[in-house]
Structure formats: C-alpha cells, structure tokens
Amino acid sequence: MKRFLALLIPTTFVLAGFRLFAFLAFDSVPNAVFAIALVAYGALVTVTALILRRRQFDTALTIVSGGALALAFLSPIILPETASVAVVVPVLVVAVALPYLQRERLSMLAAVAWISAIAIAMLVEITPVTTTTPAWFQSTLMVVQVTAIIGLVMFLLVESSRHLRQTATQMADANSALQDAQDTVRRVNRELRGRVGELERLNREATLVGQMASLLQVSEKADEAYAVVGRAGRMLFPGTVGAVLVVPESRLVAEVATSWGDPELERKVFQPQDCWALRGGRVHTMDHPASDPVCAHVSDPGRGPYVCIPLTALGTTLGVLHLQAIGEPAASAAGEAPSGGASDAGGVRHPTGTQFSDDVRDLGLRVAEHLALAMANFRLRETLQVQSTRDPLTGLFNRRYMEESLERELHRAGREESALSLLILDLDNFKRFNDRLGHASGDTLLRSLGEFLLEKVRREDVPCRYGGEEFVVILPKATKQDAHRRAESLREDARAQWVPYGPGVTVSIGVAAYPEDGSTTRALLDAADTALYRAKAEGRDRVVAAGAA
C-alpha cells in the first residue's frame, strides 16, 4: 500500500498541473476547480502515506474513505453529466463500505486500489469538452490521463499478484509447518503411548513380583512356595515354558519342583552337571542351538531360545529357574514391542522366538532372587527344626519332641476315643558292650538302632531317643495287643540285626497303652518304664506289658 500511495501522489499532482495549465492557457474554469480538487486529494493521500508509516491503519482508511467520498460529491456538482453520476455511485458504495472491511493487509490494499482507480477514472470521465480548450490539448490530456490510469492499474495488478503469491507461499509454508507439527504430535503421541505401555508393564510386573514375594514370605512349606512361583510364572512369563529345578544338599540329582507350559517337565529328574548354569554358577542363555551350548535337561532346544538362572543364596546354589520361549508371540494390544521382546495384552514382556529378551532375563533375575531367598529360608528353617527336634547321633526325634508329640496324641485319642500305645526300648548289656569295644562302637550301635527303628516303624509312628540307650516309639491308634505284637517283632528283628556285634546285643521292651495304663504323658511313660524294668529283671531280651501279671 505504501508503494502504491508513493506512485499515486505524484500522479495526482501531475494531473492537477495539467488541469491548472488548461485553466491558465485556455481560461477553463472547470479545469481550475478540478486542479484544486486534485491538489487537495493529493495532499490527502500524502497525509495518508505519512499516517501509514506510523502503522495507524484505521486512521489511514478513514482519511482515504473521507477523501473519496468528498471527491465523489464534488464531481456531480461541478459537472452534473450522466457519466459522472455513473462513476459517483461505486465510489460512494466503496467509501461507505471501506471502514467495515476486514483489516487484513491484503483486503486493505485491494480496497484502496479500487478507490484510487475509480477516483482516477472519475477524473477522466468528467473532463469537460469545451470550446475554449483546443482539441490537441484535450487529446494530449486524455492520453496522459489514460496512461496514468493504465500504469496505476497495472501497478495495482502486479502488486496484488505479488501479494497473492506471497500469501499463497505463506499459506503453503504454514500448511507444511502445520503438517510437520501434526506429524510431530503423532510421533510424540506414539512415543508417549509406548512409554505409558512400558510403565504399565513395569508396574504390573512389579505388582506381580511383589505379590509373589509376599506369598513366598508367608509360605510355611517349600511345596507352597513352589506352587506360588508356578502361578506367578504363568502370568509373568507368557509365551514361555518355565520350571524351577531344585538341587538337594546331596547334589546327586536335580528335580523339577514346579513347571508351566509343558506337562512333560513335571517330576523330571536329571543330573546337576547337565545344566550349564549349575556348572558355571552363572546365567546361561541359549539363543541358537548351533552357536550356544545346550543343557542336557532341555528336551527340545529347537523349540526356542532359553535361559537358565541359578538360584543362589547365602553362597549356596539351591536350584535353577529355567525359561524357554515357545515360538513367535503375537504383538501387544498396546502396539508394537521393541526388538527382542513383545508384550501381551496385560503389558507383561515375553521373549520372541529368535532371541531371548533382555527384559525377560532381567525379570527372571528378580524372580530368581526372591525364590532363592525363600528356598534358603526354608532350608535354614528345616535345619533349625531338625536340630531342635532330632537327635544328632541316631537321627530319631529327641526327648522334647517326644513329649510334645505324646501330649498331642493323647489329646487326639481322647477327642476321637481311639487307642494309643507306647513302647520303651532299652539295649541289653549296652554298658558292658561300650566298655569292651569303646565309645565309638557304642555310638555306632546306637546309630544302627536308630536306623533300624526308622526302617521298621509305620509312617505315622514317632520313634524317639529317650536318653542314653533307651528309645521310645509312640504308636497312634494301636491297641495294647497290637503294640505287644509289634514289640515282639521288633525284638526278634533286632536280635537278628545285631548278630555282627557279638552275643548279648538284644533289646528289652516295655509296653503301655491309653487309657488303661494312664491318661497323661507322665503316667503313660511311667507305666511303660515300669514294664521295661520288669523285662530287665526277668532276664532281658523280652517284651513286658504294663499291668500284666
């Protein structure tokens, strides 16, 4: 707009000069009036140009509109021809509508260009044909005015075209920038969804591992703990075959304590040296049978990659957590998974069929850590229980456990109104045997008697070392007659068992039963002990029942 006004101002003053020359040379009063009008209009446009430099677009539009409106009213007053009226009407319409147009620069430039072009055309149309003005001058003036109008119109067209191209370029750039921004937003959204899915997966894994760890802590038996790990393994490691392999303290064999994904793994037994993880004491991963060592306990290495994680706690390897992929799993419902692993609809990571995922291995390490600590606690608890309830020499229950068990069985027999019997065994001539052969031989004999009792008694019976060479066997739900018959069998088997130790190595047995011989622990033990002393007094190597004549 500034460039157009810079061109319009001199053009207006040049045309005013021509009009003024016509007045002075040919005494044409209308030309003088229009010269004054053009000078006034040029001054008005000049003021508008100055205002535009200050970026006061509203004021500039108002001045241009007012000038055009005044010029439109002035022309029909001076020369009221029909052509002038035809020109005045559009000028009036534009002048009135101009202040209400949108204020974008392109609209403003088009409006001002239209007004200026109409104003110049009006000046040409109202040029009077008078007899006082020579024809040559009128022709020259017409040529000058038409040339000026064509030049202004061409300039306006060029400027409008340039602005349109600039606007189109800006719009294209804006569209491109908008498209780039939309692509960026979509990419960021995908990344955010992926991270949200990853966080959900980690949160679910942490929750499941935490629940598993809590259940392991409150499990009272190893079998309960293995069942907990089996259930957790199915949820934590979908798309895998898994197993917990336990190595006993003897380290002779390793067996499957729990498994999932393959029924053939249940109750499987193998040698510890068959597992590379147990050999090396560190994690062993097999991604491809052709390039990695394969553990002998893996029945189908071609099924997929696997990892064996040692269960190590307190410096001892207690077993192995085995995880094997079973083919290519489906992608997660939340989207594509990163390379090396996929997620199920619940968000838990599982391995692919070509490479074992680091995420699954890390998760397996966390599970193995909790499981190893639980197994170590169970073994420690078992060791403490054995130390507190077992006699270290014979392996039988100790006197404290015997008294607790007898008290418990008496309460049960009273509640169920069932039978209960008690045997007290004593090695005959043990002191003489011990003095003759030494304490080491005596300990060997006692240990042999412990093994003998463990072999001969029923599963529900409770064999105990009462003290020295005396032993007690609690026989739940056994009558006195049953107990006497079993005591005779033990005595005869004992005589044959200890022939290698020399003559005189026999046992005497006292028998007592509830409730006829006593209803309390102390009473029943005293009755059986009295019967034992009677057997000793009657010549040893015999069975005597309490209360017998």
Side-chain angles (χ1 to χ4, degrees):
M1 183 176 180
K2 292 179 181 179
R3 296 174 61 188
F4 174 72
L5 293 179
L7 184 60
L8 180 60
I9 291 170
T11 303
T12 303
F13 283 113
V14 169
L15 293 177
F18 272 96
R19 295 288 182 172
L20 185 59
F21 175 78
F23 166 71
L24 295 176
F26 308 110
D27 194 20
S28 176
V29 176
N31 283 313
V33 175
F34 272 95
I36 296 172
L38 286 172
V39 170
Y41 186 73
L44 191 65
V45 175
T46 302
V47 172
T48 303
L50 295 175
I51 291 174
L52 282 177
R53 290 184 179 180
R54 300 180 181 179
R55 298 185 177 276
Q56 299 178 0
F57 297 105
D58 293 343
T59 304
L61 286 173
T62 303
I63 293 175
V64 172
S65 299
L69 193 60
L71 192 59
F73 276 108
L74 181 62
S75 59
I77 294 174
I78 300 173
L79 293 173
E81 288 93 351
T82 303
S84 298
V85 176
V87 173
V88 169
V89 173
V91 174
L92 289 174
V93 173
V94 174
V96 173
L98 186 59
Y100 301 100
L101 295 176
Q102 294 181 354
R103 296 179 181 178
E104 286 81 358
R105 298 187 65 178
L106 183 60
S107 300
M108 182 176 61
L109 179 62
V112 174
W114 189 14
I115 294 171
S116 301
I118 292 176
I120 297 300
M122 182 192 68
L123 294 178
V124 174
E125 290 293 331
I126 65 175
T127 301
V129 181
T130 62
T131 55
T132 59
T133 304
W136 65 269
F137 181 79
Q138 293 180 18
S139 300
T140 302
L141 182 60
M142 182 64 69
V143 171
V144 171
Q145 291 181 138
V146 171
T147 302
I149 291 172
I150 293 175
L152 289 172
V153 171
M154 293 298 296
F155 178 80
L156 287 173
L157 291 175
V158 171
E159 283 295 302
S160 299
S161 176
R162 184 175 64 84
H163 279 282
L164 287 174
R165 286 196 300 272
Q166 289 179 352
T167 303
T169 302
Q170 292 174 355
M171 291 181 64
D173 293 341
N175 288 334
S176 177
L178 178 61
Q179 184 65 34
D180 293 341
Q182 290 175 345
D183 293 340
T184 302
V185 169
R186 284 193 290 268
R187 177 177 55 80
V188 172
N189 285 337
R190 285 196 300 270
E191 293 178 356
L192 288 176
R193 285 196 298 270
R195 293 182 180 180
V196 169
E198 187 73 8
L199 290 176
E200 290 177 349
R201 177 186 69 83
L202 293 175
N203 181 64
R204 184 170 185 267
E205 287 179 356
T207 301
L208 291 175
V209 172
Q211 293 174 350
M212 182 198 70
S214 299
L215 292 174
L216 288 176
Q217 290 178 358
V218 299
S219 297
E220 295 183 353
K221 299 179 180 179
D223 291 342
E224 293 179 349
Y226 298 143
V228 167
V229 174
R231 289 191 297 268
R234 292 180 181 89
M235 294 184 289
L236 286 169
F237 305 104
T240 64
V241 168
V244 176
L245 315 175
V246 180
V247 179
E249 294 183 4
S250 64
R251 300 190 66 84
L252 296 178
V253 295
E255 59 182 354
V256 176
T258 186
S259 64
W260 62 88
D262 186 359
E264 294 182 2
L265 287 177
E266 296 180 4
R267 301 194 237 3
K268 186 174 182 179
V269 178
F270 61 94
Q271 301 297 320
Q273 59 266 26
D274 291 341
C275 181
W276 286 92
L278 289 177
R279 288 189 193 181
R282 58 178 180 271
V283 178
H284 173 69
T285 303
M286 194 284 295
D287 288 327
H288 197 278
S291 58
D292 299 317
V294 179
C295 297
H297 63 83
V298 179
S299 58
D300 186 8
R303 175 162 47 193
Y306 72 83
V307 60
C308 288
I309 304 174
L311 302 175
T312 304
L314 304 179
T316 304
T317 301
L318 307 173
V320 172
L321 175 62
H322 171 75
L323 300 171
Q324 184 177 17
I326 49 177
E328 191 73 24
S332 169
E336 294 182 358
S339 175
S343 300
D344 66 355
V348 177
R349 186 76 62 186
H350 51 85
T352 64
T354 56
Q355 184 179 10
F356 211 87
S357 167
D358 292 337
D359 292 333
V360 179
R361 182 163 42 248
D362 294 340
L363 180 59
L365 288 171
R366 281 189 285 160
V367 172
E369 181 180 358
H370 289 290
L371 179 57
L373 289 175
M375 293 174 64
N377 289 334
F378 283 125
R379 287 201 177 179
L380 180 60
R381 191 183 306 171
E382 290 176 357
T383 300
L384 294 176
Q385 184 177 8
V386 168
Q387 292 176 353
S388 62
T389 61
R390 295 281 183 175
D391 174 59
L393 178 62
T394 62
L396 302 177
F397 293 109
N398 56 25
R399 179 168 182 168
R400 175 184 175 184
Y401 185 82
M402 182 271 297
E403 291 176 348
E404 293 176 354
S405 299
L406 182 56
E407 186 74 24
R408 183 177 63 251
E409 293 299 333
L410 282 171
H411 282 294
R412 179 185 298 176
R415 185 174 62 253
E416 298 178 356
E417 297 182 355
S418 60
L420 174 66
S421 297
L422 184 72
L423 306 182
I424 294 184
L425 295 81
D426 185 84
L427 280 170
D428 297 328
N429 303 313
F430 178 74
K431 186 175 182 304
R432 185 172 57 187
F433 177 87
N434 204 33
D435 293 340
R436 181 167 54 90
L437 298 178
H439 291 289
S441 297
D443 290 344
T444 301
L445 181 59
L446 291 174
R447 191 179 301 111
S448 176
L449 179 57
E451 295 173 354
F452 168 78
L453 289 177
L454 289 173
E455 179 184 353
K456 296 297 182 180
V457 299
R458 300 175 304 175
R459 184 174 183 180
E460 62 268 25
D461 296 339
V462 185
C464 311
R465 185 181 181 187
Y466 191 43
E469 68 272 18
E470 288 187 344
F471 298 83
V472 172
V473 180
I474 302 173
L475 306 175
K477 299 182 179 181
T479 63
K480 181 181 285 190
Q481 292 77 13
D482 293 335
H484 194 281
R485 186 169 55 253
R486 292 187 60 194
E488 285 289 354
S489 176
L490 287 174
R491 183 186 64 81
E492 293 176 359
D493 289 343
R495 181 190 299 169
Q497 177 85 13
W498 293 317
V499 168
Y501 291 99
V505 182
T506 57
V507 294
S508 298
I509 305 175
V511 181
Y514 168 85
E516 55 263 38
D517 298 323
S519 58
T520 65
T521 300
R522 188 72 267 162
L524 205 60
L525 285 171
D526 289 343
D529 196 47
T530 301
L532 173 64
Y533 277 109
R534 285 181 54 195
K536 291 280 191 182
E538 293 177 4
R540 300 182 176 86
D541 190 20
R542 66 189 61 217
V543 176
V544 174

